[in-house]
């Protein structure tokens, strides 16, 4: 993840993270020099970034990518009863556990 958590606003990033968390293969690292931070302010900042991750508001650069990813989610996840909201909730829970565990207060 980048220092500002902007990656969580991108559709491809959320899609791949949701696939990885479903398969129990997601690993989380921060590209910032100081990692995720080490104080209560960093904890609150990451909490807001994780909570802001939203499948319906996520953006894709190309319109065709947006349509393809959302159609896949509708066809596969929604039809299998998993649903994007349920998988996104699992992703948020996983991200909180990983990020909070790496923030040293």
């Amino acid at each position: 993840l980048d220092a500002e958590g902007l990656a969580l606003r991108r559709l491809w990033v959320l899609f791949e993270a949701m696939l990885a968390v479903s398969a129990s293969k997601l690993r989380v690292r921060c590209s910032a020099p100081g990692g995720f931070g080490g104080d209560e302010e960093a904890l609150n900042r990451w909490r807001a970034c994780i909570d802001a991750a939203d499948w319906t508001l996520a953006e894709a650069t190309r319109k065709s990518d947006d349509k393809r990813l959302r159609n896949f989610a509708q066809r596969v996840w929604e039809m299998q009863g998993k649903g994007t909201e349920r998988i996104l909730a699992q992703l948020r829970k996983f991200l909180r556990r990983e990020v909070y565990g790496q923030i040293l207060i």
Side-chain angles (χ1 to χ4, degrees):
L1 295 172
D2 57 314
E4 294 84 28
L6 296 177
L8 294 174
R9 297 181 187 160
R10 305 300 301 169
L11 191 61
W12 271 109
V13 173
L14 283 181
F15 177 75
E16 290 181 7
M18 290 165 75
L19 283 175
V21 81
S22 296
S24 300
K25 294 187 179 212
L26 184 62
R27 302 286 182 256
V28 180
R29 300 289 179 260
C30 184
S31 64
F36 288 107
D39 56 7
E40 192 171 340
E41 179 185 332
L43 184 72
N44 292 331
R45 187 175 62 246
W46 281 106
R47 179 180 296 134
C49 288
I50 292 169
D51 289 341
D54 189 352
W55 177 258
T56 56
L57 299 176
E59 302 171 343
T61 306
R62 295 174 26 193
K63 193 70 168 169
S64 61
D65 288 346
D66 186 272
K67 187 175 181 179
R68 186 171 26 155
L69 293 173
R70 293 186 194 280
N71 284 340
F72 173 86
Q74 178 67 31
R75 188 178 65 247
V76 177
W77 292 335
E78 299 293 339
M79 293 298 184
Q80 291 179 354
K82 294 179 183 177
T84 55
E85 290 302 317
R86 184 174 178 190
I87 298 173
L88 188 59
Q90 291 173 349
L91 174 62
R92 285 181 180 145
K93 181 179 176 182
F94 178 84
L95 287 174
R96 284 187 190 103
R97 187 175 65 238
E98 290 294 312
V99 171
Y100 296 175
Q102 293 181 35
I103 295 177
L104 303 174
I105 295 181

